Structures are given as structure tokens and as C-alpha cells.
Amino acid sequence: MKRMMFLAAALALTASAAVAQSDVIKQRQEAMKATGGATATAGKMLKGEEAFDLAKAQAALKTYEEVAAKGPAMFPAGSQNGDTAALPAVWTNKADFDAKFAKWGADAKAAQAAIKDEASFKANFPAVMKNCGGCHETYRAKKG
């Protein structure tokens, strides 16, 4: 009887861990989708495809800052299995990975203070966006 109860508890813990893992993967996918949406809006403004809007630029930077703050926690040990594009390097080089999030967040915060108009947006925003590529090149599997 005790053995059956132990087995049931072990199975429940395993199922719970699998659900928690898929939840954190989904959480980080949603965060990256939000980041992509913010980047798309800012990119259109940078290219002149959309009129500059200070509120939209600041909102994009705020999204970056928020995702950067949550980023390291969204990649806990054991969450590398499942529907994820995260490469194993995320977990084998976690200190560098976490530092990239910290830099991105700090750059986004500094840009929020520096951007007051279209000229300062065009001067400051591209440097913040470079953080995305720097992380994706090392820690994200290429699509297709």
C-alpha cells in the first residue's frame, strides 16, 4: 500500500514538473512574441513606414525592460526540453545568458530616458535592438 502511494506521489510530481516546464516555455514564448511586436512597431518607425510616435517608442522600450527583467527566470534548469528554440548553451553558459538580459534591460532603460523625439529615437533605438541579435545568435536555434 505504501509503495502504491509512493508511486502515485512520484507520478504526480513528474506530471506536475512536466506541466510547470511547459508553462515556463509558453511564458517565455509569449514574452518573446510581445518583444517581437514591440520590435516590429519600432522597426516601422525607424524605416519611415510608420510615423514616429514617442508613446509607441517608449512602450516598446518598456516591453524590452520588462521582458529583460523576467528573462533569466523564464529559463530555469530543466526547461530545455519541449517546444523551445532555446539552445543548450542557455543552460551551460547561464551567467553570460543572464548578463545579456541585464544589459538589454539596462540599455532599454537608458534609451527611455534619452529618447525625446524622432532624432533621438533614431540615434538610440538601434543600439538597444542589437542586444536581441547578440543573444539570438548564441542562444536561439535558427528557424527553417
Side-chain angles (χ1 to χ4, degrees), residues 28-40 59-60 63-64 67:
R28 67 186 182 226
Q29 288 171 340
E30 291 301 318
M32 293 304 148
K33 283 180 188 174
T35 300
T39 302
T63 297
Y64 286 1
V67 172

Side-chain angles (χ1 to χ4, degrees), residues 62-78:
K62 189 69 174 165
T63 297
Y64 286 1
E65 188 179 1
E66 290 170 356
V67 172
K70 297 175 190 174
M74 290 189 287
F75 292 85

Side-chain angles (χ1 to χ4, degrees), residues 17 21 24-25 75-81 91:
Q21 177 178 310
V24 75
I25 291 171
F75 292 85
S79 69
Q80 63 267 38
N81 300 317
W91 294 274

Side-chain angles (χ1 to χ4, degrees), residues 89-90 92-102 134-135 138-139:
V90 167
T92 60
N93 198 5
K94 189 77 162 96
D96 179 65
F97 181 73
D98 291 354
K100 287 188 183 301
F101 271 113
C135 195
T138 306
Y139 298 109

Side-chain angles (χ1 to χ4, degrees), residues 38-49:
T39 302
T41 299
K44 288 178 184 175
M45 290 190 295
L46 283 170
K47 294 176 192 172
E49 296 172 359

